[in-house]
Amino acid sequence: MKNRSNPNIKSLLQSALQHHKIGELDKAETIYQTVIEKQPDNPDALHLLGIIKHQKRDYTLAESLIRRAIDEDKNAPVFHLNLGNALREQGKISEAVDSYEKAISLEPKFAEAHYNLANELLIKGNTDSAIRHYRIAVNLNPNLAEAYYNLGKALETLNRIDDAIMNYQRALQIKPDYAEAYYNLGIVFQDQKKYEEAIASYIRAVQIKPDYVEALYNLGNVLRDQEKFKDAENYYRKAIAIKPDLIQAYNNLSIALRQQGQIESALKTCQMALSIKPDFAHAHNNLGIALREDGQLEEAIESCRRAVIIEPDFAEGHWNLSLAILHLGDFAKGWRKYEWRFLKKDAVVRYFPYPRWDCSSLKGKTLLVYAEQGIGDQIMFASLFSEIINMSGNCIIECENRLVPLFSRSFPGAEVIPIIKDTFPPDLPSIDFKMPMGSLPLFFCPDAESFTQKTSYLVHGPQELGRASGIERV
C-alpha cells in the first residue's frame, strides 16, 4: 500500500515501535499521532495507536482507531484480533467473538485468536466450543501456558477432573511460577479431599504470590478441615492482614479459635465480621454457637434467630438454634427445630423406601427405627426405645455393629440389626414405617417432665458386670 511504502513514514513507525516495545507509551503515542497527521489513512499507525489506547484503558477510543485501521486494510488478522480485545474490555462479548472468528478466517493457524475466542466462548457458556478452540491453540502453540490453564478450568466445569488436573500441570511445566494454576490445582484436590496435595498446591501458590488472598484463605479452610486449627488460624490472619474486609476469613477464623477453646476471641472475631457486614447470616450463626458454648443461651438464641431471619432456608442456622433452645430447656420447640439437621450441607440422608411414621397407630405394624449420627447419640436416643417398642406391633432397631449385643440385651422386645449397608437382610419382616432415631424425642420428650425417671435403660452383659465388680475372668 502507498501509505506503508513511504520511507519517512516507515522510519517514524519503526521509531514509535521501539518506544512502544520498551513501555514508553507517551513517546510512541506522539509519533503515531504524527504519522496519522501526515497520513490519516495509515492503517498501521491507526492500529498501533489503538493498542496504546487499549493499554491506557481507553477502550472506546481503541475500538474507534482499530476500526479505522480495518477500513483501510480489512485483511490483517491482527487488526481483527485487537479489535476483539477492545470490544471484550467493553463487555461486548458477541462482537468480540465475531472479531476473533474473522481473524481466524483470515489466518486459521492464528493461535492467539483461537485462545481469545475460546475465552469469550467460555464466558458465554459455550464450553464445548471453548474447549475445541483451546485445544487448537495449544496444538498451534504448545508453549501457551494460559491456554492449558483455561482449558483446565473449562474441563473442570464439565467435571472432567483428571483432564483438568493434567492441563493445570502442563501449564506449570511451561510456566513454573504460575500461581493461579497451583491455586486451581489446590481447589480440585480440596474438592477431592486430597488434603495433603491441596495444601502443597496452595502453599506453592502463596510462595510465588505472597499476597494471594484466595489461596491463603483456602489454605486455612483445608487446614481447618484437617482439624489443624492453629495453622488454619495463622493463614486466616494472613488473609485478613492483606484484605481487612474479607468477612469469610473472619467467620472461619472464629471457628478455628472456638475449636481451640478460645471462646472470647471467637466472639470478638464474629463481631468484627458483623461490623463489616451486619446481615452476614453465617457470622450470626457462629456467634450463636460461641455464645452457647460460653453459656450465654438467651444471647445464643437471639444470634441464631437473626441468622435464619436473614436466610430463612439456612439449615445450619436452624439446627444451631435448636441446640440453644434445647439447652435452655424448651424441648417442644427445640426438637421441632432439630429436624432441620436433614437439610444441612453435611447431612447424610439415608434413603429407605417406606413412609415416615406420622404418629398414627402402630398396632399390627412394623416400624424401622434407623441409626443416624454417632455411636454416642445412638446410646442417648436409646433411652426412648422402650416407649416406641411398646407402641409397635413389631419394632426393628438398626444401630452400629458394636451396639447390637448391648441393644439386643436391653430391648428384647425389638429385633436389633447392624447398620444396613446395601440390601436388607432377607429374613426381615415387611416394614410399614420408618423413623430416624434422632426424631424420637419429638414425640416422647416435649418437656422436662416427660423424661422417664429410671436409673438405667441399658443391660450389661456378664463380661461388663464382671469388670464393673472387679471379678477376674479367664
Side-chain angles (χ1 to χ4, degrees):
M1 292 179 66
K2 179 179 68 174
N3 291 341
R4 286 172 166 164
S5 61
N6 186 307
N8 292 332
I9 295 299
K10 288 179 69 174
S11 177
L12 285 169
L13 284 174
Q14 287 172 357
S15 175
L17 273 170
Q18 289 174 354
H19 290 296
H20 198 162
K21 287 177 180 178
I22 62 175
E24 294 177 347
L25 299 187
D26 291 339
K27 289 181 180 179
E29 180 176 355
T30 299
I31 300 172
Y32 291 142
Q33 287 172 336
T34 299
V35 173
I36 293 168
E37 287 170 6
K38 292 177 180 293
Q39 290 188 346
D41 58 351
N42 186 290
D44 296 317
L46 290 165
H47 170 242
L48 292 166
L49 181 58
I51 292 176
I52 283 185
K53 293 301 180 184
H54 185 122
Q55 290 174 292
K56 292 185 173 183
R57 301 186 179 182
D58 189 346
Y59 305 120
T60 303
L61 185 51
E63 175 191 349
S64 175
L65 287 162
I66 297 172
R67 284 193 186 279
R68 285 173 60 189
I70 290 172
D71 287 341
E72 300 302 324
D73 184 355
K74 293 179 170 58
N75 295 318
V78 71
F79 290 5
H80 294 280
L81 172 77
N82 286 319
L83 175 60
N85 294 344
L87 291 165
R88 177 194 65 207
E89 296 296 343
Q90 296 175 76
K92 299 177 181 178
I93 305 302
S94 295
E95 292 179 64
V97 166
D98 292 341
S99 292
Y100 295 138
E101 288 177 339
K102 180 63 176 177
I104 292 167
S105 72
L106 293 167
E107 177 47 78
K109 294 183 178 181
F110 197 173
E112 189 176 352
H114 283 286
Y115 169 67
N116 286 9
L117 174 59
N119 290 341
E120 302 316 302
L121 290 170
L122 191 60
I123 291 171
K124 291 184 70 175
N126 299 337
T127 307
D128 289 333
S129 295
I131 288 172
R132 180 167 63 86
H133 284 282
Y134 283 133
R135 291 196 188 282
I136 293 171
V138 297
N139 285 334
L140 293 169
N141 183 357
N143 292 319
L144 198 55
E146 291 77 7
Y148 283 108
Y149 168 71
N150 283 347
L151 175 56
K153 289 174 65 177
L155 291 164
E156 193 177 340
T157 66
L158 298 180
N159 204 34
R160 294 168 59 180
I161 302 303
D162 290 340
D163 288 339
I165 291 172
M166 181 182 68
N167 279 280
Y168 291 141
Q169 291 172 334
R170 178 68 182 123
L172 287 165
Q173 288 172 358
I174 300 164
K175 187 179 176 182
D177 62 348
Y178 204 160
E180 290 77 11
Y182 277 113
Y183 173 71
N184 274 43
L185 268 179
I187 291 174
V188 171
F189 289 136
Q190 185 176 355
D191 289 343
Q192 293 181 322
K193 300 190 185 304
K194 295 179 179 179
Y195 293 128
E196 294 304 324
E197 292 93 332
I199 289 170
S201 297
Y202 287 137
I203 286 176
R204 189 71 188 100
V206 298
Q207 286 173 340
I208 296 165
K209 189 177 176 182
D211 63 347
Y212 203 158
V213 171
E214 295 83 1
L216 290 165
Y217 171 70
N218 278 9
L219 186 50
N221 290 341
V222 177
L223 291 163
R224 189 197 68 198
D225 289 343
Q226 287 200 301
E227 299 186 357
K228 297 177 179 178
F229 299 116
K230 183 61 182 176
D231 292 336
E233 175 192 344
N234 291 337
Y235 282 104
Y236 288 138
R237 291 194 186 280
K238 288 180 180 180
I240 290 167
I242 297 166
K243 194 174 191 317
D245 62 347
L246 188 60
I247 56 172
Q248 296 87 349
Y250 285 106
N251 187 56
N252 289 357
L253 173 59
S254 75
I255 297 172
L257 291 167
R258 175 165 51 81
Q259 294 289 355
Q260 296 177 75
Q262 300 178 39
I263 301 300
E264 185 176 348
S265 295
L267 291 169
K268 289 179 180 178
T269 306
C270 286
Q271 288 160 351
M272 289 176 72
L274 292 169
S275 70
I276 299 169
K277 185 175 171 59
D279 62 346
F280 188 17
H282 290 257
H284 283 291
N285 178 53
N286 280 321
L287 178 60
I289 297 172
L291 287 166
R292 187 187 79 227
E293 293 189 7
D294 198 42
Q296 302 181 55
L297 298 179
E298 295 285 359
E299 293 85 352
I301 289 170
E302 180 58 28
S303 288
C304 291
R305 277 185 177 148
R306 286 179 186 168
V308 299
I309 288 170
I310 294 165
E311 288 188 25
D313 296 328
F314 184 18
E316 283 78 5
H318 285 283
W319 186 70
N320 283 312
L321 176 56
S322 80
L323 298 182
I325 292 171
L326 287 169
H327 273 78
L328 200 62
D330 190 342
F331 296 110
K333 287 182 181 178
W335 292 123
R336 284 198 298 272
K337 280 283 183 188
Y338 195 67
E339 293 297 290
W340 277 88
R341 69 192 183 278
F342 296 113
L343 299 178
K344 292 167 60 188
K345 289 181 180 178
D346 62 352
V348 178
V349 180
R350 304 177 65 210
Y351 175 73
F352 295 100
Y354 317 111
R356 178 168 160 149
W357 180 51
D358 57 1
C359 212
S360 59
S361 173
L362 288 172
K363 186 176 181 180
K365 303 291 184 181
T366 297
L367 172 69
L368 169 66
V369 178
Y370 64 87
E372 58 168 325
Q373 305 180 50
I375 192 168
D377 293 295
Q378 292 175 40
I379 291 172
M380 178 180 71
F381 294 130
S383 65
L384 302 172
F385 287 172
S386 294
E387 283 84 347
I388 195 67
I389 290 169
N390 292 336
M391 293 177 62
S392 305
N394 187 26
C395 185
I396 300 169
I397 295 173
E398 181 208 43
C399 63
E400 286 284 344
N401 292 14
R402 289 173 291 172
L403 294 176
V404 171
L406 175 62
F407 283 3
S408 296
R409 289 192 303 271
S410 304
F411 308 105
E415 182 175 356
V416 180
I417 62 172
I419 295 286
I420 299 165
K421 299 293 185 182
D422 299 311
T423 58
F424 277 85
D427 55 345
L428 281 183
S430 176
I431 294 170
D432 299 292
F433 297 103
K434 65 182 177 183
M435 191 66 179
M437 62 174 61
S439 293
L440 291 174
L442 184 63
F443 299 96
F444 300 111
C445 294
D447 50 47
E449 289 71 29
S450 61
F451 282 97
T452 304
Q453 300 298 317
K454 52 186 177 183
T455 57
S456 176
Y457 55 89
L458 298 176
V459 176
H460 291 287
Q463 188 173 6
E464 288 86 353
L465 286 171
R467 281 199 299 267
S469 60
I471 300 174
E472 290 288 335
R473 291 183 176 272
V474 179

